[in-house]
Amino acid sequence: MTTQTGLPTMHETTYGIGGKHIFVAETGDGPAVLLLHGGGPGASGVANYSRNIAELAKEYRVIVPDLPGYGRSTKGVDGADPFGYLADLIRGLLDQLGLEKAHFVGNSYGGAAALRLALDTPDRVDRMVLMGPGGIGTTRALPTPGLNSLLNYYKGEGPSRLKLEKFIRTYLVFNAADVPDSIIDARYRDSIDPEVIADPPLRRPSGPNALRTLWKMDFTRDERLSRLPVPTLVLWGAADKVNRPSGGRMLAERMPNCDLYEVANTGHWVQFERAELFNRLCADFLAGRR
């Protein structure tokens, strides 16, 4: 059964993990796959994967959490080690779900969370698909204009619909017309939650330990990357203005079981912009058909 939005009917649960509340929607049967969303203002799980859930649910048990700091989950993230914090909570979610291991699909911020979880506990990850993940070569070059736009959203005069629209239409996607106003409106409403404004989940590291945090957030500085056994498919938009496409080649050169697919005429949101291609590649890779 599908709803008017084209999404299948999803079972919704809120789990208590480490004193935090993590909202999860799920549907489908089969091997478990967790879809971890990106970290842009107003992001959430089901909305970010709205063009993928129904197709993947034909073959998989699709589990879509709102990451800490977003959607209906507890707000706030540990700024000293944000990727580690996310990985710990998602690992706790696996425990709550009774899953020894699962497939992971992660876009941007969610890709960084999946990769950190895999590095810390590779036995909990079956196969992994990463789309323009964060934390790749971030200490080796200045931030992109797109990343600056994202990180500055809550600064200066504060959040506004105009700032969010500029980020999405100018930096997030290749074709601005592909994003309907309704998506921007919904994300703007979520981005101005008072709890989020008071404690944005994605920000530049600061304070005396900022350099240590930055180093920890760049996976190309982690020696474990070259030993990670998890089969991984990296999808990267060739026109990504948030995370540089060169990050895909960095991963392919360092990871022993990494396939790289660079997607032409596509920005940072591969699963949305090229949904049909993404759904086919993702389903086949997770099943071991390619």
Side-chain angles (χ1 to χ4, degrees), residues 255-273:
M255 298 174 70
N257 295 306
C258 177
D259 292 337
L260 172 62
Y261 194 114
E262 194 166 288
V263 189
N265 301 317
T266 305
H268 189 55
W269 225 9
V270 174
Q271 81 279 10
F272 182 89
E273 299 177 73

Side-chain angles (χ1 to χ4, degrees), residues 218-230:
D218 185 349
F219 296 113
T220 67
R221 304 287 184 182
D222 193 324
E223 294 180 353
R224 298 176 298 173
L225 194 63
S226 62
R227 304 190 300 272
L228 185 63
V230 175

Side-chain angles (χ1 to χ4, degrees), residues 67-68 76-90 109 112-114 116 200-205 209-210 212-214 216-219:
L67 292 175
V77 171
D78 180 5
D81 184 15
F83 297 158
Y85 175 82
L86 295 175
D88 287 345
L89 286 180
I90 296 302
Y109 197 52
R116 176 61 183 272
L202 189 58
R203 62 179 80 186
R204 287 186 174 89
N209 295 318
R212 181 182 303 173
T213 298
L214 282 169
K216 192 181 297 184
M217 292 177 70
D218 185 349
F219 296 113

